[in-house]
């Protein structure tokens, strides 16, 4: 199956068990179990969705289309929920260790914190002066760390959205 796919985008799940591949529109998105190479779903057809993330467990994947994130059921392709709100494209997504919270980093220079279960926006953190390209939760899920294109890191408190600290890794 994989030999016949010309990938538009692909990624490996955080737990390393699955690879998600997007082919041309007529092929759709497919999820393969790495251990046995079998498809776990029928192709899911998505219009103009890019990039993706799969939290541990492999039962959902998240894609972005312009400024909106969407979560899909891997097996059925059904949309689970949307996370609208960014004013520019999303560059990265992170899920908390238990999968209860999600953070998104965007070219709109913000990090947004969401409750994953119902898609509620908890905090918008406008802490960067440049597009934000990466985001991750600390191991204890109390802090979200984001990085922008100029090498600036911002550490924000998850419960309040308040910036705790920022630093530059750039020579500028």
């Amino acid at each position: 199956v994989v030999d016949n796919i010309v990938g538009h985008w692909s990624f490996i799940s955080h737990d390393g068990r699955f690879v998600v591949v997007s082919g041309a529109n007529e092929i759709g998105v497919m999820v393969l179990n790495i251990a046995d190479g079998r498809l776990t779903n029928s192709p899911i057809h998505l219009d103009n969705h890019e990039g993706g993330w799969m939290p541990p467990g492999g039962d959902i994947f998240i894609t972005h289309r312009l400024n909106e994130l969407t979560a899909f059921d891997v097996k059925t392709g059904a949309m689970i929920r949307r996370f609208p709100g960014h004013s520019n494209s999303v560059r990265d997504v992170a899920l908390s260790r238990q999968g209860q919270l999600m953070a998104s980093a965007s070219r709109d220079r913000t990090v947004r914190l969401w409750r994953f279960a119902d898609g509620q926006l908890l905090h918008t953190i406008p802490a960067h002066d440049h597009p934000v390209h990466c985001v991750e939760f600390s191991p204890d899920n109390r802090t979200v760390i984001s990085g922008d294109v100029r090498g600036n890191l911002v550490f924000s408190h998850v419960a309040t959205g308040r910036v705790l600290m920022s630093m530059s890794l750039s020579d500028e």
Side-chain angles (χ1 to χ4, degrees):
V1 172
V2 176
D3 293 337
N4 298 325
I5 298 173
V6 176
H8 177 63
W9 51 263
S10 63
F11 61 92
I12 295 175
S13 63
H14 288 284
D15 59 11
R17 294 177 33 214
F18 302 96
V19 62
V20 180
V21 179
S22 169
N25 284 340
E26 64 272 7
I27 296 172
V29 176
M30 292 177 277
V31 180
L32 295 115
N33 183 317
I34 291 174
D36 62 15
R38 295 179 188 255
L39 286 174
T40 64
N41 67 313
S42 297
I44 301 166
H45 299 281
L46 305 175
D47 289 332
N48 300 316
H49 281 259
E50 298 180 16
W53 302 270
M54 180 180 280
D59 54 347
I60 62 166
F61 69 94
I62 302 163
T63 66
H64 70 88
R65 180 174 180 258
L66 302 175
N67 57 354
E68 181 177 81
L69 293 161
T70 308
F72 293 92
D73 181 281
V74 167
K75 295 210 181 342
T76 66
M79 183 190 69
I80 298 171
R81 74 190 49 83
R82 291 181 187 206
F83 302 87
H86 281 290
S87 63
N88 206 323
S89 62
V90 176
R91 305 304 300 161
D92 195 19
V93 169
L95 276 91
S96 63
R97 302 296 177 251
Q98 292 77 30
Q100 297 170 336
L101 301 174
M102 182 175 76
S104 55
S106 172
R107 292 184 56 82
D108 68 7
R109 303 176 182 185
T110 68
V111 170
R112 293 180 185 251
L113 295 175
W114 313 85
R115 186 169 48 228
F116 191 80
D118 60 8
Q120 181 175 340
L121 177 63
L122 302 174
H123 303 290
T124 299
I125 305 169
H128 289 271
D129 293 329
H130 304 286
V132 186
H133 273 243
C134 59
V135 65
E136 187 60 70
F137 283 92
S138 63
D140 65 3
N141 293 323
R142 292 181 181 174
T143 306
V144 65
I145 302 101
S146 53
D148 66 32
V149 298
R150 297 288 176 108
N152 300 305
L153 295 177
V154 174
F155 298 76
S156 303
H157 189 244
V158 170
T160 64
R162 185 174 57 86
V163 172
L164 301 171
M165 179 178 95
S166 53
M167 62 188 297
S168 177
L169 301 178
S170 172
D171 292 336
E172 296 177 13

